[in-house]
Coordinates of all heavy atoms in Angstrom, one line a residue:
M1 N 10.6 -10.5 14.1 CA 9.4 -11.0 14.8 C 8.2 -10.0 14.4 O 8.4 -8.8 14.5 CB 9.6 -11.0 16.3 CG 8.5 -11.6 17.0 SD 9.0 -12.0 18.7 CE 7.5 -12.3 19.4
T2 N 7.1 -10.6 14.1 CA 5.9 -9.8 13.8 C 5.1 -9.6 15.0 O 4.7 -10.5 15.7 CB 5.1 -10.6 12.7 OG1 5.8 -10.8 11.6 CG2 3.8 -9.9 12.4
A3 N 4.7 -8.3 15.3 CA 3.9 -8.0 16.4 C 2.4 -8.0 15.9 O 2.1 -7.7 14.8 CB 4.2 -6.6 16.9
T4 N 1.5 -8.5 16.8 CA 0.1 -8.5 16.5 C -0.5 -7.3 17.3 O -0.3 -7.1 18.5 CB -0.6 -9.8 17.0 OG1 0.0 -10.9 16.3 CG2 -2.1 -9.8 16.8
V5 N -1.3 -6.6 16.5 CA -1.9 -5.4 17.1 C -3.4 -5.4 16.8 O -3.8 -5.6 15.6 CB -1.3 -4.1 16.5 CG1 -2.0 -2.8 17.0 CG2 0.2 -4.0 16.8
Y6 N -4.2 -5.2 17.8 CA -5.7 -5.1 17.6 C -6.1 -3.6 17.5 O -5.6 -2.8 18.3 CB -6.4 -5.8 18.8 CG -6.2 -7.2 18.8 CD1 -5.0 -7.8 19.3 CD2 -7.1 -8.1 18.2 CE1 -4.8 -9.2 19.3 CE2 -6.9 -9.5 18.2 CZ -5.7 -10.0 18.8 OH -5.5 -11.3 18.7
T7 N -6.9 -3.3 16.6 CA -7.3 -1.9 16.4 C -8.8 -1.7 16.4 O -9.6 -2.6 16.1 CB -6.8 -1.3 15.0 OG1 -7.4 -2.0 13.9 CG2 -5.3 -1.4 14.9
D8 N -9.3 -0.5 16.7 CA -10.7 -0.2 16.7 C -10.9 1.3 16.6 O -10.0 2.1 17.1 CB -11.5 -0.8 17.9 CG -12.9 -1.0 17.6 OD1 -13.4 -0.8 16.4 OD2 -13.7 -1.4 18.5
G9 N -12.0 1.7 16.1 CA -12.4 3.1 16.0 C -13.9 3.2 16.1 O -14.6 2.3 15.7
A10 N -14.4 4.3 16.6 CA -15.9 4.5 16.8 C -16.2 6.0 16.8 O -15.3 6.8 17.0 CB -16.3 3.8 18.1
C11 N -17.5 6.2 16.6 CA -17.9 7.6 16.6 C -19.4 7.7 17.1 O -20.1 6.7 16.9 CB -17.9 8.0 15.1 SG -18.0 9.8 14.8
I12 N -19.7 8.7 17.8 CA -21.1 9.0 18.3 C -21.7 9.9 17.3 O -21.3 11.1 17.2 CB -21.1 9.5 19.7 CG1 -20.5 8.6 20.7 CG2 -22.6 9.9 20.1 CD1 -20.4 9.1 22.1
G13 N -22.6 9.5 16.5 CA -23.1 10.3 15.3 C -22.0 10.1 14.2 O -21.0 9.5 14.4
N14 N -22.4 10.5 13.0 CA -21.5 10.3 11.9 C -21.7 11.3 10.9 O -22.5 11.2 10.0 CB -21.6 8.9 11.3 CG -20.4 8.3 10.7 OD1 -19.3 8.8 10.9 ND2 -20.6 7.3 9.9
P15 N -21.0 12.5 11.0 CA -19.9 12.8 11.8 C -20.3 13.1 13.3 O -21.5 13.4 13.5 CB -19.2 14.0 11.2 CG -20.3 14.7 10.4 CD -21.3 13.6 10.0
G16 N -19.3 13.1 14.1 CA -19.5 13.5 15.5 C -18.2 13.2 16.3 O -17.2 12.9 15.7
P17 N -18.2 13.2 17.6 CA -17.0 12.9 18.4 C -16.7 11.4 18.2 O -17.6 10.6 18.2 CB -17.4 13.3 19.8 CG -18.9 13.3 19.8 CD -19.4 13.6 18.4
G18 N -15.4 11.2 18.1 CA -15.0 9.8 17.9 C -13.7 9.5 18.6 O -12.9 10.4 19.0
G19 N -13.3 8.2 18.6 CA -12.1 7.8 19.2 C -11.5 6.6 18.5 O -12.2 5.9 17.8
W20 N -10.2 6.3 18.8 CA -9.5 5.2 18.2 C -8.6 4.6 19.2 O -8.3 5.2 20.2 CB -8.7 5.6 17.0 CG -7.7 6.7 17.3 CD1 -7.8 8.0 17.2 CD2 -6.4 6.5 17.9 NE1 -6.7 8.7 17.7 CE2 -5.8 7.7 18.1 CE3 -5.6 5.3 18.2 CZ2 -4.5 7.9 18.6 CZ3 -4.4 5.5 18.7 CH2 -3.8 6.8 18.9
A21 N -8.2 3.3 19.0 CA -7.3 2.7 19.9 C -6.6 1.5 19.2 O -7.2 1.0 18.3 CB -8.0 2.1 21.2
W22 N -5.4 1.2 19.7 CA -4.7 0.0 19.3 C -4.1 -0.6 20.5 O -3.8 0.1 21.5 CB -3.7 0.2 18.2 CG -2.5 1.1 18.5 CD1 -2.4 2.4 18.2 CD2 -1.4 0.7 19.2 NE1 -1.2 2.9 18.7 CE2 -0.6 1.9 19.3 CE3 -0.9 -0.5 19.8 CZ2 0.7 1.9 20.0 CZ3 0.3 -0.4 20.5 CH2 1.1 0.7 20.5
A23 N -3.9 -2.0 20.5 CA -3.4 -2.6 21.6 C -2.7 -3.9 21.2 O -3.2 -4.6 20.3 CB -4.4 -3.0 22.7
E24 N -1.6 -4.2 21.9 CA -0.9 -5.5 21.7 C -1.2 -6.4 22.9 O -1.3 -5.9 24.0 CB 0.7 -5.3 21.7 CG 1.2 -4.7 20.5 CD 2.8 -4.6 20.7 OE1 3.4 -5.6 20.9 OE2 3.3 -3.4 20.6
P25 N -1.5 -7.6 22.7 CA -1.8 -8.5 23.8 C -0.7 -8.5 24.9 O 0.5 -8.7 24.5 CB -2.0 -9.9 23.2 CG -2.3 -9.6 21.8 CD -1.6 -8.4 21.4
G26 N -1.0 -8.1 26.1 CA 0.0 -8.0 27.2 C 1.1 -7.0 27.0 O 2.1 -7.1 27.6
G27 N 0.9 -6.0 26.1 CA 1.9 -5.1 25.8 C 1.4 -3.6 25.7 O 0.5 -3.2 26.4
A28 N 2.0 -3.0 24.7 CA 1.8 -1.5 24.5 C 0.4 -1.3 24.0 O -0.3 -2.2 23.4 CB 2.8 -1.0 23.5
F29 N -0.1 0.0 24.1 CA -1.4 0.4 23.6 C -1.4 1.9 23.5 O -0.5 2.6 24.1 CB -2.5 -0.1 24.5 CG -2.5 0.6 25.9 CD1 -3.1 1.7 26.2 CD2 -1.7 0.0 26.9 CE1 -3.1 2.3 27.4 CE2 -1.7 0.5 28.2 CZ -2.3 1.7 28.4
A30 N -2.3 2.4 22.8 CA -2.5 3.9 22.6 C -3.9 4.1 22.2 O -4.6 3.3 21.6 CB -1.5 4.5 21.6
S31 N -4.4 5.4 22.5 CA -5.7 5.8 22.1 C -5.8 7.3 21.9 O -4.9 8.0 22.3 CB -6.8 5.3 23.1 OG -6.5 6.0 24.4
G32 N -6.8 7.7 21.3 CA -7.0 9.2 21.0 C -8.4 9.5 20.6 O -9.2 8.6 20.5
F33 N -8.6 10.7 20.4 CA -10.0 11.2 20.0 C -9.9 12.3 19.0 O -8.9 13.0 18.8 CB -10.8 11.5 21.2 CG -10.4 12.9 21.8 CD1 -11.1 14.0 21.5 CD2 -9.3 13.0 22.6 CE1 -10.7 15.3 22.0 CE2 -8.9 14.2 23.1 CZ -9.6 15.4 22.8
D34 N -11.1 12.6 18.4 CA -11.3 13.8 17.6 C -12.7 14.3 17.9 O -13.6 13.5 17.9 CB -11.1 13.3 16.1 CG -11.1 14.5 15.1 OD1 -11.9 15.5 15.3 OD2 -10.3 14.5 14.2
P35 N -12.8 15.6 18.1 CA -14.1 16.1 18.5 C -15.1 16.1 17.3 O -16.3 16.1 17.6 CB -13.9 17.5 19.0 CG -12.6 17.9 18.4 CD -11.8 16.6 18.2
Q36 N -14.7 16.0 16.1 CA -15.6 16.0 14.9 C -15.0 15.1 13.8 O -14.1 15.6 13.1 CB -15.8 17.4 14.4 CG -16.8 17.6 13.3 CD -18.2 17.3 13.8 OE1 -18.5 17.2 15.0 NE2 -19.1 17.1 12.9
T37 N -15.5 13.9 13.7 CA -14.9 13.0 12.8 C -15.9 12.0 12.3 O -17.1 12.2 12.5 CB -13.7 12.3 13.5 OG1 -13.0 11.5 12.5 CG2 -14.1 11.4 14.6
T38 N -15.5 10.9 11.7 CA -16.4 9.8 11.2 C -15.8 8.5 11.8 O -14.7 8.4 12.1 CB -16.5 9.7 9.7 OG1 -15.2 9.3 9.2 CG2 -17.0 11.0 9.1
N39 N -16.7 7.5 11.8 CA -16.2 6.2 12.3 C -15.1 5.6 11.4 O -14.2 5.0 11.8 CB -17.4 5.2 12.4 CG -18.1 4.9 11.1 OD1 -18.3 5.8 10.3 ND2 -18.4 3.6 10.9
Q40 N -15.3 5.8 10.1 CA -14.2 5.3 9.1 C -12.9 5.9 9.4 O -11.8 5.3 9.4 CB -14.7 5.5 7.7 CG -16.0 4.9 7.3 CD -16.1 3.4 7.4 OE1 -15.5 2.8 8.3 NE2 -16.8 2.8 6.5
R41 N -12.9 7.2 9.6 CA -11.6 7.9 9.9 C -11.0 7.4 11.2 O -9.8 7.2 11.3 CB -11.8 9.4 10.1 CG -12.1 10.1 8.8 CD -12.3 11.6 9.0 NE -12.7 12.3 7.8 CZ -13.4 13.4 7.8 NH1 -13.7 14.0 8.9 NH2 -13.7 14.0 6.6
M42 N -11.8 7.1 12.2 CA -11.2 6.6 13.4 C -10.7 5.2 13.3 O -9.7 4.8 13.8 CB -12.3 6.6 14.5 CG -12.7 8.1 15.0 SD -11.3 9.0 15.7 CE -10.5 9.8 14.3
E43 N -11.4 4.3 12.5 CA -10.9 3.0 12.2 C -9.5 3.0 11.5 O -8.6 2.3 11.9 CB -11.9 2.2 11.3 CG -13.2 1.9 12.0 CD -13.2 0.7 12.9 OE1 -12.1 0.1 13.2 OE2 -14.2 0.3 13.4
I44 N -9.4 3.9 10.5 CA -8.1 4.0 9.7 C -7.1 4.6 10.6 O -5.9 4.2 10.6 CB -8.3 4.8 8.5 CG1 -9.1 4.0 7.4 CG2 -7.0 5.3 7.9 CD1 -8.4 2.9 6.7
N45 N -7.5 5.6 11.4 CA -6.5 6.3 12.3 C -5.9 5.3 13.3 O -4.7 5.4 13.6 CB -7.1 7.5 13.0 CG -6.1 8.5 13.4 OD1 -5.3 9.0 12.6 ND2 -6.1 8.8 14.7
A46 N -6.7 4.4 13.8 CA -6.2 3.4 14.8 C -5.0 2.6 14.1 O -4.0 2.4 14.8 CB -7.3 2.5 15.2
V47 N -5.2 2.2 12.9 CA -4.2 1.4 12.2 C -3.0 2.3 11.9 O -1.8 1.9 12.2 CB -4.7 0.9 10.9 CG1 -3.6 0.2 10.1 CG2 -5.9 -0.1 11.1
L48 N -3.2 3.5 11.5 CA -2.1 4.5 11.2 C -1.2 4.7 12.5 O 0.0 4.6 12.4 CB -2.6 5.8 10.7 CG -1.6 6.9 10.5 CD1 -0.6 6.5 9.5 CD2 -2.3 8.2 10.1
E49 N -1.9 4.9 13.6 CA -1.1 5.2 14.8 C -0.4 3.9 15.3 O 0.7 4.0 15.8 CB -2.0 5.7 15.9 CG -2.6 7.0 15.6 CD -1.6 8.1 15.4 OE1 -0.5 8.0 16.0 OE2 -1.8 9.1 14.7
A50 N -1.0 2.7 15.0 CA -0.2 1.5 15.4 C 1.0 1.3 14.5 O 2.1 1.0 15.0 CB -1.2 0.3 15.2
V51 N 0.9 1.6 13.2 CA 2.0 1.5 12.3 C 3.1 2.5 12.8 O 4.3 2.2 12.8 CB 1.6 1.8 10.9 CG1 2.8 1.9 10.0 CG2 0.7 0.6 10.4
R52 N 2.7 3.7 13.1 CA 3.7 4.8 13.5 C 4.4 4.4 14.8 O 5.6 4.7 15.0 CB 2.9 6.1 13.8 CG 2.5 6.8 12.5 CD 1.8 8.1 12.8 NE 1.6 8.9 11.6 CZ 0.7 9.9 11.6 NH1 0.0 10.2 12.6 NH2 0.6 10.5 10.4
A53 N 3.8 3.6 15.6 CA 4.4 3.2 16.9 C 5.3 2.0 16.9 O 5.9 1.7 17.9 CB 3.2 3.0 18.0
H54 N 5.3 1.3 15.7 CA 6.0 0.1 15.6 C 7.1 0.1 14.5 O 6.8 0.6 13.4 CB 5.1 -1.1 15.4 CG 4.2 -1.4 16.6 ND1 3.1 -0.7 16.8 CD2 4.3 -2.3 17.6 CE1 2.5 -1.2 17.9 NE2 3.3 -2.2 18.4
D55 N 8.2 -0.5 14.8 CA 9.2 -0.8 13.8 C 9.0 -2.2 13.4 O 8.8 -3.1 14.2 CB 10.6 -0.5 14.3 CG 10.9 1.0 14.5 OD1 10.3 1.8 13.8 OD2 11.6 1.3 15.5
G56 N 9.2 -2.5 12.1 CA 9.1 -3.9 11.7 C 7.7 -4.4 11.4 O 6.8 -3.6 11.4
P57 N 7.6 -5.7 11.0 CA 6.3 -6.2 10.5 C 5.2 -6.2 11.6 O 5.5 -6.4 12.8 CB 6.7 -7.6 10.1 CG 8.0 -7.9 10.6 CD 8.7 -6.6 11.0
L58 N 4.0 -5.9 11.1 CA 2.8 -5.9 12.0 C 1.8 -6.8 11.4 O 1.6 -6.9 10.2 CB 2.2 -4.5 12.1 CG 2.8 -3.5 13.0 CD1 2.0 -2.2 12.9 CD2 2.8 -4.0 14.4
H59 N 1.1 -7.5 12.3 CA -0.2 -8.2 11.9 C -1.3 -7.4 12.5 O -1.4 -7.4 13.8 CB -0.1 -9.7 12.5 CG -1.4 -10.4 12.2 ND1 -1.7 -11.0 11.0 CD2 -2.4 -10.7 13.1 CE1 -2.8 -11.6 11.1 NE2 -3.3 -11.4 12.3
I60 N -2.1 -6.8 11.7 CA -3.2 -5.9 12.2 C -4.5 -6.8 12.2 O -4.8 -7.4 11.3 CB -3.4 -4.7 11.3 CG1 -2.2 -3.9 11.1 CG2 -4.7 -3.9 11.7 CD1 -1.8 -3.1 12.3
V61 N -5.2 -6.7 13.4 CA -6.4 -7.4 13.5 C -7.5 -6.3 13.7 O -7.4 -5.5 14.6 CB -6.5 -8.3 14.8 CG1 -7.8 -9.0 14.9 CG2 -5.4 -9.4 14.7
S62 N -8.5 -6.3 12.8 CA -9.5 -5.2 12.8 C -10.9 -5.9 12.5 O -11.0 -6.8 11.7 CB -9.2 -4.2 11.7 OG -10.2 -3.3 11.6
D63 N -11.9 -5.3 13.1 CA -13.3 -5.7 12.8 C -13.9 -4.9 11.7 O -15.1 -5.0 11.4 CB -14.1 -5.7 14.1 CG -14.3 -4.3 14.6 OD1 -13.7 -3.3 14.2 OD2 -15.2 -4.1 15.6
S64 N -13.1 -4.0 11.1 CA -13.6 -3.0 10.1 C -13.4 -3.6 8.7 O -12.3 -3.7 8.3 CB -12.9 -1.7 10.3 OG -13.2 -0.8 9.2
T65 N -14.5 -3.8 8.0 CA -14.3 -4.2 6.6 C -13.7 -3.1 5.8 O -13.0 -3.3 4.8 CB -15.7 -4.6 6.0 OG1 -16.6 -3.6 6.1 CG2 -16.2 -5.9 6.6
Y66 N -14.0 -1.8 6.2 CA -13.4 -0.7 5.5 C -11.8 -0.8 5.6 O -11.1 -0.6 4.6 CB -13.9 0.6 6.2 CG -13.5 1.9 5.6 CD1 -14.0 2.3 4.4 CD2 -12.5 2.7 6.2 CE1 -13.7 3.5 3.8 CE2 -12.1 3.9 5.6 CZ -12.7 4.3 4.4 OH -12.4 5.5 3.9
V67 N -11.3 -1.0 6.8 CA -9.8 -1.1 7.0 C -9.3 -2.3 6.2 O -8.3 -2.2 5.5 CB -9.5 -1.3 8.5 CG1 -8.0 -1.8 8.6 CG2 -9.7 0.0 9.2
V68 N -10.0 -3.5 6.3 CA -9.5 -4.7 5.5 C -9.5 -4.4 4.0 O -8.5 -4.7 3.4 CB -10.4 -5.9 5.9 CG1 -10.1 -7.0 5.0 CG2 -10.3 -6.2 7.4
H69 N -10.5 -3.8 3.5 CA -10.6 -3.6 2.1 C -9.5 -2.5 1.7 O -8.9 -2.6 0.6 CB -12.0 -3.1 1.6 CG -13.0 -4.2 1.7 ND1 -14.3 -4.0 1.3 CD2 -12.9 -5.5 2.1 CE1 -15.0 -5.1 1.5 NE2 -14.1 -6.0 2.0
C70 N -9.3 -1.5 2.5 CA -8.3 -0.5 2.2 C -7.0 -1.1 1.9 O -6.3 -0.7 1.0 CB -8.2 0.4 3.4 SG -6.8 1.6 3.3
F71 N -6.5 -2.1 2.7 CA -5.2 -2.7 2.5 C -5.3 -3.9 1.6 O -4.4 -4.0 0.7 CB -4.6 -3.0 3.9 CG -4.3 -1.8 4.7 CD1 -5.2 -1.3 5.7 CD2 -3.3 -1.0 4.4 CE1 -5.0 -0.2 6.4 CE2 -3.0 0.2 5.0 CZ -3.9 0.6 6.1
R72 N -6.2 -4.8 1.8 CA -6.3 -6.0 1.0 C -6.5 -5.7 -0.5 O -5.9 -6.2 -1.4 CB -7.4 -6.9 1.5 CG -7.4 -8.3 0.8 CD -8.7 -9.0 1.0 NE -9.8 -8.3 0.4 CZ -11.1 -8.5 0.8 NH1 -11.4 -9.3 1.8 NH2 -12.0 -7.8 0.3
D73 N -7.4 -4.7 -0.7 CA -7.8 -4.4 -2.1 C -7.1 -3.2 -2.6 O -7.4 -2.7 -3.7 CB -9.3 -4.2 -2.2 CG -10.1 -5.4 -1.8 OD1 -9.5 -6.5 -1.9 OD2 -11.3 -5.3 -1.5
R74 N -6.2 -2.6 -1.8 CA -5.3 -1.5 -2.2 C -6.1 -0.2 -2.5 O -5.7 0.5 -3.4 CB -4.4 -2.0 -3.3 CG -3.6 -3.2 -3.0 CD -2.8 -3.7 -4.1 NE -1.5 -3.0 -4.3 CZ -0.4 -3.3 -3.7 NH1 -0.3 -4.3 -2.9 NH2 0.7 -2.6 -4.0
W75 N -7.1 0.0 -1.8 CA -7.9 1.3 -2.0 C -7.0 2.5 -1.9 O -7.2 3.5 -2.5 CB -9.1 1.3 -1.0 CG -10.2 0.4 -1.3 CD1 -10.3 -0.5 -2.3 CD2 -11.4 0.3 -0.5 NE1 -11.5 -1.2 -2.2 CE2 -12.2 -0.7 -1.1 CE3 -11.8 1.0 0.6 CZ2 -13.4 -1.1 -0.5 CZ3 -13.1 0.6 1.2 CH2 -13.8 -0.4 0.6
Y76 N -6.1 2.4 -1.0 CA -5.2 3.5 -0.7 C -4.5 4.0 -1.9 O -4.2 5.2 -2.0 CB -4.2 3.2 0.4 CG -3.2 2.2 0.1 CD1 -2.0 2.5 -0.6 CD2 -3.5 0.8 0.3 CE1 -1.1 1.5 -0.9 CE2 -2.6 -0.2 0.0 CZ -1.4 0.2 -0.6 OH -0.5 -0.8 -1.0
E77 N -4.2 3.2 -2.9 CA -3.6 3.6 -4.1 C -4.4 4.6 -4.9 O -3.9 5.7 -5.4 CB -3.2 2.4 -5.0 CG -2.2 1.6 -4.4 CD -1.9 0.3 -5.2 OE1 -2.7 0.0 -6.2 OE2 -0.9 -0.4 -4.9
G78 N -5.7 4.4 -5.0 CA -6.6 5.3 -5.6 C -6.8 6.6 -4.8 O -6.8 7.7 -5.4
W79 N -6.8 6.5 -3.5 CA -6.9 7.7 -2.7 C -5.6 8.6 -2.9 O -5.7 9.8 -3.0 CB -7.0 7.3 -1.2 CG -8.2 6.6 -0.8 CD1 -9.4 6.5 -1.5 CD2 -8.4 5.8 0.3 NE1 -10.3 5.7 -0.9 CE2 -9.7 5.2 0.3 CE3 -7.6 5.5 1.4 CZ2 -10.2 4.4 1.3 CZ3 -8.1 4.7 2.4 CH2 -9.4 4.2 2.3
Q80 N -4.5 8.0 -3.0 CA -3.2 8.7 -3.2 C -3.3 9.5 -4.5 O -3.0 10.6 -4.6 CB -2.0 7.8 -3.2 CG -1.6 7.4 -1.8 CD -0.4 6.4 -1.9 OE1 -0.4 5.5 -2.7 NE2 0.5 6.6 -1.0
R81 N -3.8 8.8 -5.6 CA -3.9 9.4 -6.9 C -4.9 10.6 -6.9 O -4.7 11.5 -7.6 CB -4.4 8.4 -8.0 CG -3.3 7.4 -8.4 CD -3.8 6.6 -9.7 NE -5.0 5.9 -9.5 CZ -5.2 4.7 -9.0 NH1 -4.1 4.1 -8.5 NH2 -6.4 4.2 -8.9
R82 N -5.9 10.5 -6.1 CA -6.9 11.6 -6.0 C -6.6 12.6 -4.9 O -7.5 13.3 -4.5 CB -8.3 10.9 -5.8 CG -8.8 10.2 -6.9 CD -10.3 9.7 -6.7 NE -10.5 8.9 -5.6 CZ -10.4 7.5 -5.6 NH1 -10.0 6.9 -6.7 NH2 -10.6 6.8 -4.5
G83 N -5.4 12.6 -4.4 CA -5.1 13.5 -3.3 C -5.8 13.2 -2.0 O -6.2 14.1 -1.2
W84 N -5.9 11.9 -1.7 CA -6.5 11.4 -0.4 C -8.0 11.7 -0.3 O -8.5 11.9 0.8 CB -5.7 11.8 0.8 CG -4.4 11.2 0.8 CD1 -3.2 11.8 0.4 CD2 -4.0 9.9 1.1 NE1 -2.2 10.9 0.4 CE2 -2.6 9.7 0.9 CE3 -4.7 8.7 1.5 CZ2 -2.0 8.5 1.0 CZ3 -4.1 7.6 1.7 CH2 -2.7 7.4 1.5
K85 N -8.7 11.8 -1.4 CA -10.1 12.0 -1.4 C -10.8 10.7 -2.0 O -10.2 10.1 -2.9 CB -10.5 13.2 -2.3 CG -9.9 14.5 -1.7 CD -10.4 15.6 -2.5 CE -10.1 16.8 -1.7 NZ -9.3 17.8 -2.0
N86 N -12.0 10.4 -1.5 CA -12.7 9.3 -2.1 C -13.5 9.8 -3.3 O -13.3 10.9 -3.7 CB -13.7 8.7 -1.0 CG -14.8 9.6 -0.6 OD1 -15.1 10.6 -1.3 ND2 -15.4 9.3 0.5
S87 N -14.2 8.9 -3.9 CA -14.9 9.3 -5.2 C -15.9 10.4 -5.0 O -16.3 11.0 -6.0 CB -15.6 8.0 -5.8 OG -16.5 7.5 -4.9
Q88 N -16.4 10.6 -3.8 CA -17.3 11.7 -3.5 C -16.6 13.0 -3.1 O -17.2 14.0 -2.7 CB -18.3 11.4 -2.5 CG -19.4 10.4 -2.9 CD -18.9 9.0 -3.0 OE1 -18.2 8.5 -2.1 NE2 -19.2 8.3 -4.1
K89 N -15.3 13.0 -3.2 CA -14.4 14.1 -2.9 C -14.2 14.3 -1.4 O -13.9 15.3 -0.9 CB -14.9 15.4 -3.5 CG -15.1 15.4 -5.0 CD -13.8 15.4 -5.8 CE -14.0 15.4 -7.3 NZ -13.6 14.2 -7.9

């Protein structure tokens, strides 16, 4: 069975303090923060933590085009090749 998980991340300033969260409708959830981060890091971290918390298939729902492109367009493959750095290092 595939679990549906909603994710989000945000930041005050960029960089600045930020937070992330994931939640299943009517079920489990988790959240966290980082005192110095970016909104993109928090968006990706929400997905990462949801994946870590679940066994089996997941349907991730995100309002972040960054997250969607990361997985749909396989951006993570280039990041892995570059040691998890973007084109600006």
Side-chain angles (χ1 to χ4, degrees):
M1 185 167 168
T2 300
T4 297
V5 178
Y6 293 82
T7 66
D8 204 5
C11 195
I12 299 174
N14 207 18
W20 60 266
W22 63 261
E24 288 181 56
F29 64 91
S31 63
F33 75 97
D34 190 316
Q36 187 68 12
T37 190
T38 67
N39 64 315
Q40 305 293 38
R41 287 180 186 156
M42 293 294 92
E43 292 281 5
I44 289 285
N45 202 57
V47 174
L48 175 62
E49 294 300 331
V51 169
R52 286 180 173 162
H54 291 82
D55 292 327
L58 280 179
H59 175 80
I60 302 288
V61 179
S62 174
D63 66 350
S64 168
T65 57
Y66 186 74
V67 166
V68 171
H69 291 182
C70 172
F71 295 101
R72 185 194 66 202
D73 299 341
R74 303 173 81 90
W75 288 0
Y76 64 88
E77 291 174 350
W79 297 342
Q80 286 175 316
R81 284 192 305 275
R82 291 187 300 272
W84 294 101
K85 295 185 169 117
N86 67 16
S87 61
Q88 286 78 44
K89 307 283 184 248

